[in-house]
Amino acid sequence: MKKTISYLLVMGMAILSLAGCGKKIDSGSNVQSTQDSTNDSSSVTIKAVIKDMSADDEVSVKFLEAVSSGVSKELGREVHIELAPISDGTYSESMSLLLQSGEIPDLMYFQGGDYQFAITQGILEDLTQYVDNSTNIKALMQPYNKERLANYPYLLWLSPDRIKVPVVRQDWFDAAKSSKTLLDNPSTDNYKAFFQELKENNNLKAAYTVPGDIAELDTVFNLAFGVKATWIKEGDKYVYSKVTNAEKEKLAFYAGLYKEGLLDNEWLTKKWDTKESAFYNGEVGVVSGTQGSVVNVYNNKMVTQNGENAKLVILPPAKGEAQGYTPGDVSKESRGWAISKYSDNKDVAFAVLEYMAGKEGQLLDKLGYEGEEYNIENNEIVLTDKISEWWPRFHETIANFDAPISSKTPYFSEAALKSLDMVNTYSSFDNAFVIPDEYATNWDASQALYIEFAADVISGNRSIDEFDQFVADWNALGGAEITEYANTILK
């Protein structure tokens, strides 16, 4: 076993100094290849842009050499993955600047900003046939991946859905008399009672905190109040959920939590780091984290700082009109891999993704290198402390990942695995759709109006009695027109 795994991670392939096979588009959008026509047809360079990876970073270079070696063996031809440089700044802005300059890599990771290049400029490849003809990737596809690819076939992202779940320390949960009642019947009233006891028992500043918006509260309470999807059918028409009576009741509930000190009175100014610090330091009792990997980080940090008894418990979504965590948006992937429509090597670019979804690729992507992030002991993989600094660069999903990892050093904590199970139990699909360009400005303005109104109501600066005026303002700002459009496409 040790010899086998070692062999999979050998870095012996020489790196070829080839001209890039990306494309460049002139100001008239005429496609011109920059690939050297004299290159040996048996070898190819794939230009790529990958978030948090740089050609100046030794870890990135070493990793891509390993990937290149694996893909080369898989295809029986030499493949070299070369990182295209991008400017400093936010990742989506840097990607936009690169593509607008006319340089289009073969393989690209997007984290926002992809829509204009997929739809408006049409420079991203439809991945449907590649996925249909795949083996490894198709085996990892989950129902929400399939729905998103069907709706928007330009991005591929094999990862647990980014659904957030509420977590609390095990020792605090066990000490609360209301915890069993909460599990048996997680009504909004029982949640409030649990928050009150949690705060009083542990002398907390607040029971729950969120980083500047209410999305993480919504993951627990939306469905309980009847906010079941982005668009809710009332009679024979769809209406936007945030202008419904269900939303009004939910905001009033949040305002009550805030008034009683159960919702952090600094929630509007909290950032990700200060939210997490407040949780680890015992200032608040409950936060929400993305199922799987983020919950795993939260659990490990909490145990490191506060002991094994402080491992995390996953709380269920509140129960009322319905029960479930935030429905998954399947209109499109919010991030993921794209391939240039103008690449001469689309099949090879996709082969990189396919290889990284296979057994060898997943081992490298998730665990790093033997002797560094893990060791082999008694035919089992024992993770080292360095694994905490490693993260998957290609596919985060753990579906079909069956490496023989020792139970002494599990890849995911019990809390992280439980969070995945809980989301599977309480999951549903949303009916949100991609807003067309002609409505985008008004949509953004209407969203800003809602965010401002919700923040003012929750913080006590405005009365919930002003909800009808907010709805009128929302409609006047373009909401009515967007609602009309929604009713033409929703079934």
Side-chain angles (χ1 to χ4, degrees), residues 232 261 320:
I232 297 177

Side-chain angles (χ1 to χ4, degrees), residues 244-457:
T244 62
N245 191 59
E247 181 72 22
K248 179 180 179 180
E249 292 179 0
K250 184 194 74 178
L251 292 180
F253 175 74
Y254 290 171
L257 294 180
Y258 179 88
K259 186 176 182 179
E260 296 183 37
L262 302 178
L263 174 61
D264 184 5
N265 61 14
E266 298 177 346
W267 71 273
L268 265 175
T269 57
K270 274 283 193 294
K271 306 296 182 185
W272 293 103
D273 57 344
T274 52
K275 171 197 111 169
E276 293 166 1
S277 293
F279 185 50
Y280 302 138
N281 295 336
E283 298 172 13
V284 299
V286 179
V287 296
S288 289
T290 304
Q291 62 161 327
S293 59
V294 174
V295 169
N296 194 57
V297 171
Y298 285 4
N299 180 81
N300 294 343
K301 287 187 176 181
M302 183 63 81
V303 168
T304 298
Q305 186 163 327
N306 297 288
E308 186 64 28
N309 290 336
K311 63 184 180 181
L312 299 184
V313 173
I314 313 301
L315 298 176
K319 184 177 181 181
E321 292 292 323
Q323 186 181 20
Y325 296 121
T326 303
D329 183 351
V330 292
S331 60
K332 67 184 290 291
E333 293 287 2
S334 61
R335 62 185 68 198
W337 296 102
I339 292 174
S340 167
K341 183 180 290 187
Y342 300 122
S343 172
D344 286 334
N345 299 292
K346 299 171 193 173
D347 288 342
V348 179
F350 188 82
V352 174
L353 302 178
E354 174 76 351
Y355 170 76
M356 295 307 290
K359 188 171 182 179
E360 294 182 14
Q362 286 201 68
L363 184 68
L364 172 63
D365 202 22
K366 291 176 174 59
L367 300 186
Y369 311 101
E370 182 183 355
E372 296 184 33
E373 283 73 31
Y374 67 90
N375 294 311
I376 304 298
E377 299 177 9
N378 299 320
N379 292 329
E380 287 188 324
I381 296 173
V382 179
L383 305 180
T384 70
D385 290 342
K386 288 191 68 176
I387 195 67
S388 63
E389 303 170 14
W390 189 264
W391 76 96
R393 273 73 169 175
F394 279 84
H395 307 307
E396 290 184 3
T397 182
I398 62 169
N400 297 333
F401 181 53
D402 59 356
I405 301 175
S406 171
S407 59
K408 296 187 298 183
T409 59
Y411 183 69
F412 266 178
S413 63
E414 182 180 344
L417 293 173
K418 180 66 174 179
S419 70
L420 295 171
D421 290 340
M422 290 285 278
V423 170
N424 284 337
T425 300
Y426 296 108
S427 64
S428 60
F429 289 166
D430 196 10
N431 58 5
F433 52 85
V434 177
I435 301 297
D437 286 345
E438 59 264 36
Y439 300 110
T441 299
N442 285 347
W443 180 252
D444 290 345
S446 68
Q447 294 303 292
L449 180 70
Y450 166 78
I451 291 170
E452 180 182 8
F453 177 75
D456 284 344
V457 167

Side-chain angles (χ1 to χ4, degrees), residues 82 117 214 237 322 391 400 462 480 489:
E82 178 181 297
F117 300 108
I214 60 175
K237 296 286 186 181
W391 76 96
N400 297 333
R462 295 178 70 176
I489 64 171

